[in-house]
Amino acid sequence: MTVSGLSIENLVIVGSGPAGYTAAIYAARANLSPVLITGFQDGGIPGGQLMTTTHVENFPGFPDGIMGPELMDKMKAQAVRWGTRLIEADATAIDLSQRPYRITAEGQTIETQAVILATGASANRLGLPSEERFWSQGISACAICDGATPQFRQAELAVVGGGDSACEEAVYLTKYGSQVHLIVRGDKLRASGAMADRVLANPAITVHWNRQVADASGSGWLEAITLRDPGNGASEELAVKGLFYAIGHTPNTRLVRGQLEVDSHGYLATQAGRPETSVAGVYAAGDVADAEWRQGITAAGSGCQAALAAERWLTHHNLAVTVSHEPVDPATVGEPVRTATSDADNYDAKALWQKGGFALRKLYHDSSKPLLVVYSSPTCGPCHVLKPQLKRVLDELGGAAQGVEIDIEVEQEIAAQAGVTGTPTVQLFHNKELKQAFKGVKQRSEFKAAIEALLGAPA
């Protein structure tokens, strides 16, 4: 089965983020009509790690910085504008044993002459004895996603790590916490000089040198962590209500394990400065092959290299079937249209999607349709990914259900009353009753099935 009129695709890019989207831009402009499988849950979220970053201040071309999710939105729009076809799902299987290569995603198998792997790397966990107990109950791997939740406001918080990500998250959390504790296992920060200076100069951040987190404790919600000195084994309790991980990543190579060579750390093996893997026509881009630099700009550069190398290889072997752009210059993208907050003047009882407490109260009390309520924050990358999927579900249901978006930074009381402990959180109501709750990014099919079950239930 194919996703276009081509019997075999020229190029499939697996993974989004700066590497995947840049590869797609170059391949699309080369008239290769690439397919890009964005990923959805496996190994992270579409858009990669920049989706869990606030201000990106070191990507060229944005002198005042740009929000990570906004940067990824622009890259995605640029790739689509030039003819990239997106499959917004996880790749579930990759077969590189013979060409054309076969990739399975969203129930379909795609045959392709060339592949670019831009699957990135996943955030590591500490593996604390009590980690599962307090996961989403005080422990998180994404400060940018969860920092604005009510439980963390004016509370003592902790971040584990000593690199740029850890320092950025510590600074970010000072917006919400009363004090932020940065737990560093060594005696110096590994972050860039600018980020390290920003942390050390911030009176709201306390750095704990030569300390490791041994465990977490609390009744229901996280209340304290145990710190251990690796030198002498001494331990101490630190009272915090939030613990955020920023301790590195593991490359997402599960689908090609045993098919491609990897280095001693599990990253895809390539020659220095080259995108070729150990299999002809298969290329690596971004953090899946980069154990050293791991920057947005280096990922984008490697995506460019991979696309150019793939184009040359396809052309050299007479495998490329090019597709001309019509029109030659595609229409401009323009600025995204954001959902306005509903009030007495613009509230629409029939609208599929609205925003704010006013719409929530009206629909909760007046509507007989199932109601999806998504609690999000402006800096939450996973929220950014999930909301279009929820809107798609509502569209597919043809108006049989409705949705409301609640910004937990603006509607703090509503979030607290709803018991929101992280974003995104989705609650499904029907006839003034909470029927189901979802935490984090879930497959579109889960939400659709839950709503269809309510629609099919007897009144």
Side-chain angles (χ1 to χ4, degrees):
M1 183 175 181
T2 62
V3 294
S4 75
L6 302 175
S7 58
I8 299 174
E9 299 292 341
N10 291 313
L11 172 65
V12 172
I13 301 162
V14 185
S16 44
Y21 284 136
T22 302
I25 291 166
Y26 273 79
R29 284 176 54 81
N31 292 346
L32 292 178
S33 187
V35 173
L36 188 148
I37 302 173
T38 65
F40 195 69
Q41 285 179 304
D42 189 13
I45 61 173
Q49 295 173 44
L50 287 183
M51 294 297 287
T52 59
T53 303
T54 51
H55 282 92
V56 179
E57 298 174 318
N58 55 7
F59 202 96
F62 301 96
D64 297 320
I66 184 172
M67 297 294 287
E70 183 183 359
L71 176 59
M72 297 322 305
D73 276 352
K74 290 179 179 293
M75 287 192 183
K76 176 182 177 181
Q78 189 174 359
V80 170
R81 178 183 180 235
W82 286 103
T84 300
R85 290 163 292 141
L86 301 182
I87 297 178
E88 296 181 296
D90 288 320
T92 54
I94 298 177
D95 182 359
L96 304 176
S97 61
Q98 60 182 356
R99 203 179 70 245
Y101 305 122
R102 297 168 64 86
I103 301 175
T104 303
E106 208 168 43
Q108 60 182 314
T109 297
I110 308 162
E111 294 188 319
T112 180
Q113 301 288 11
V115 178
I116 293 176
L117 297 170
T119 49
S122 298
N124 294 334
R125 293 193 182 190
L126 285 173
L128 303 177
S130 303
E131 188 171 79
E132 290 303 320
R133 177 184 171 192
F134 293 107
W135 197 261
S136 295
Q137 298 292 317
I139 299 180
S140 168
C142 182
I144 309 304
C145 309
D146 298 338
T149 55
Q151 289 82 355
F152 296 136
R153 291 180 179 270
Q154 296 305 307
E156 301 255 337
L157 307 174
V159 177
V160 185
D164 277 324
S165 295
C167 289
E168 181 187 6
E169 294 196 356
V171 171
Y172 172 79
L173 288 170
T174 61
K175 294 169 53 179
Y176 306 107
S178 59
Q179 187 71 21
V180 177
H181 301 271
L182 183 60
I183 315 302
V184 183
R185 65 182 178 182
D187 58 5
K188 62 181 180 180
L189 295 171
R190 294 178 289 103
S192 62
M195 283 304 305
D197 290 345
R198 194 171 298 174
V199 165
L200 298 175
N202 194 321
I205 300 175
T206 301
V207 182
H208 299 259
W209 305 104
N210 299 303
R211 292 293 184 272
Q212 296 176 338
V213 180
D215 205 358
S217 59
S219 54
W221 190 269
L222 177 69
E223 296 175 4
I225 57 176
T226 302
L227 300 183
R228 179 173 297 142
D229 184 333
N232 56 28
S235 62
E236 59 186 299
E237 295 292 304
L238 180 64
V240 295
K241 291 190 69 176
L243 174 62
F244 299 88
Y245 293 172
I247 53 171
H249 296 81
T250 298
N252 297 321
T253 57
R254 178 178 60 83
L255 293 179
V256 293
R257 195 168 297 154
Q259 301 185 76
L260 296 176
E261 290 182 12
V262 297
D263 67 14
S264 58
H265 299 287
Y267 290 84
L268 293 181
T270 61
Q271 294 183 13
R274 300 292 309 178
E276 292 87 355
T277 68
S278 56
V279 172
V282 180
Y283 304 88
D287 288 7
V288 72
D290 179 9
E292 182 175 2
W293 309 114
R294 295 194 296 259
Q295 300 296 308
I297 190 64
T298 55
S302 69
C304 165
Q305 290 177 316
L308 293 176
E311 179 195 4
R312 291 171 184 173
W313 183 83
L314 288 166
T315 302
H316 177 74
H317 292 281
N318 296 315
L319 296 172
V321 179
T322 58
V323 178
S324 299
H325 294 292
E326 183 59 43
V328 175
D329 292 319
T332 57
V333 174
E335 291 299 315
V337 178
R338 305 194 185 281
T339 304
T341 300
S342 296
D343 56 26
D345 294 326
N346 65 5
Y347 168 73
D348 182 354
K350 296 181 180 180
L352 289 186
W353 189 271
Q354 296 184 79
K355 182 177 182 179
F358 184 91
L360 174 59
R361 287 186 289 271
K362 292 287 288 183
L363 290 172
Y364 178 84
H365 289 289
D366 300 341
S367 177
S368 61
K369 297 178 180 180
L371 176 63
L372 276 178
V373 183
V374 55
Y375 300 87
S376 65
S377 68
T379 56
C380 169
C383 304
H384 214 69
V385 168
L386 184 60
K387 284 186 286 187
Q389 300 300 318
L390 296 178
K391 293 176 183 178
R392 182 174 168 185
V393 167
L394 297 177
D395 284 336
E396 291 172 351
L397 292 172
Q402 293 171 284
V404 175
E405 173 187 349
I406 298 296
D407 183 338
I408 69 170
E409 292 196 14
V410 176
E411 311 268 13
Q412 295 179 34
E413 291 186 8
I414 293 177
Q417 291 170 1
V420 174
T421 59
T423 57
T425 292
V426 178
Q427 295 178 338
L428 176 60
F429 293 91
H430 194 212
N431 296 326
K432 299 182 181 180
E433 290 185 15
L434 176 62
K435 297 296 186 180
Q436 201 165 343
F438 308 83
K439 289 186 177 182
V441 173
K442 306 296 182 184
Q443 294 288 351
R444 186 173 66 253
S445 59
E446 288 192 39
F447 298 105
K448 190 173 184 179
I451 295 173
E452 288 176 334
L454 294 177
L455 293 172

